[in-house]
Amino acid sequence: EREAGALFESARSRLERIVLERPVEWLRLRADELPPFVPGGRDLFDLRPEQALPLAQLQERLRARLGDDALYRLQATPDPRPERAQRIADDDERPDTPPAALPRPTWLLPRPVPLRTHGLRVLAGPERIESGWWDGGDLRRDYYVLETAEGQRAWAFRPAGERPDTPAGWMLHGWFA
């Protein structure tokens, strides 16, 4: 970070969480390596509000306030099972598995729960997932994108081969934004 105000805010956010044994008499900031200076380009018709932060500054502010482990990046894995389709990636790791081209919810529930609502409409599906027989996590499900009577989009499944027009049996696994 090169901007003095952003640097001060980041340092202040990190330092205010530290409990000191005695008063501080001096503080020194030393940078062994500086990135090349690239001035921020502004478009003549820039529509961003004044309070908007670039992504790197926002990430640093969140890390300073919430701790270094509070922010992480997810990476897709080749496992088709939704519970194992992504993992936390290292900071320096490059994505090697492209994300699934099929619709996936932005909010995946920790465990599927029964979907108890009426007036469901099937928007897409079925997408059959049969996997995990080799590691004891056998899974045989038909996933659907559903719309509730309230207009919410859900990602739910039924056991493989069960017809979607039967009245019960939907298991909710996630919500679309």
Side-chain angles (χ1 to χ4, degrees):
E1 179 59 59
R2 288 184 180 270
E3 186 180 325
L7 186 58
F8 176 76
E9 173 69 26
S10 177
R12 185 180 66 134
S13 296
R14 286 183 181 267
L15 292 174
E16 68 187 9
R17 294 185 306 154
I18 297 173
V19 178
L20 301 171
E21 296 176 14
R22 54 186 178 269
V24 174
E25 295 181 14
W26 59 273
L27 179 69
R28 177 172 59 176
L29 175 64
R30 183 176 145 194
D32 293 327
E33 185 178 319
L34 292 174
F37 176 67
V38 179
R42 289 280 195 211
D43 189 9
L44 179 61
F45 301 106
D46 191 3
L47 301 176
R48 292 184 308 165
E50 290 299 316
Q51 298 299 320
L53 292 174
L55 180 60
Q57 282 184 350
L58 175 61
Q59 288 173 334
E60 179 54 34
R61 180 177 286 181
L62 289 172
R63 281 190 181 103
R65 290 187 180 170
L66 303 174
D68 288 326
D69 295 334
L71 258 59
Y72 52 87
R73 186 172 51 85
L74 295 176
Q75 179 175 342
T77 67
D79 197 321
R81 294 172 285 186
E83 299 87 347
R84 300 180 185 189
Q86 55 192 2
R87 64 177 179 80
I88 295 176
D90 295 329
D91 288 337
D92 57 346
E93 190 175 2
R94 293 274 183 231
D96 57 352
T97 306
L102 298 167
R104 291 291 183 264
T106 51
W107 178 15
L108 190 66
L109 301 177
R111 289 181 302 287
V113 296
L115 181 59
R116 302 192 193 285
T117 185
H118 299 288
L120 293 171
R121 187 168 65 109
V122 175
L123 299 178
E127 172 196 348
R128 179 158 293 173
I129 297 179
E130 291 187 66
S131 185
W133 54 268
W134 60 90
D135 64 5
D138 194 14
L139 185 85
R140 297 186 63 197
R141 299 175 179 163
D142 287 340
Y143 278 88
Y144 294 83
V145 177
L146 305 173
E147 185 177 66
T148 66
E150 295 81 24
Q152 296 171 298
R153 288 184 37 186
W155 199 49
F157 67 86
R158 294 177 167 276
E162 190 176 305
R163 293 175 40 118
D165 56 356
T166 54
W170 287 110
M171 293 296 288
L172 175 66
H173 205 161
W175 293 105
F176 291 91

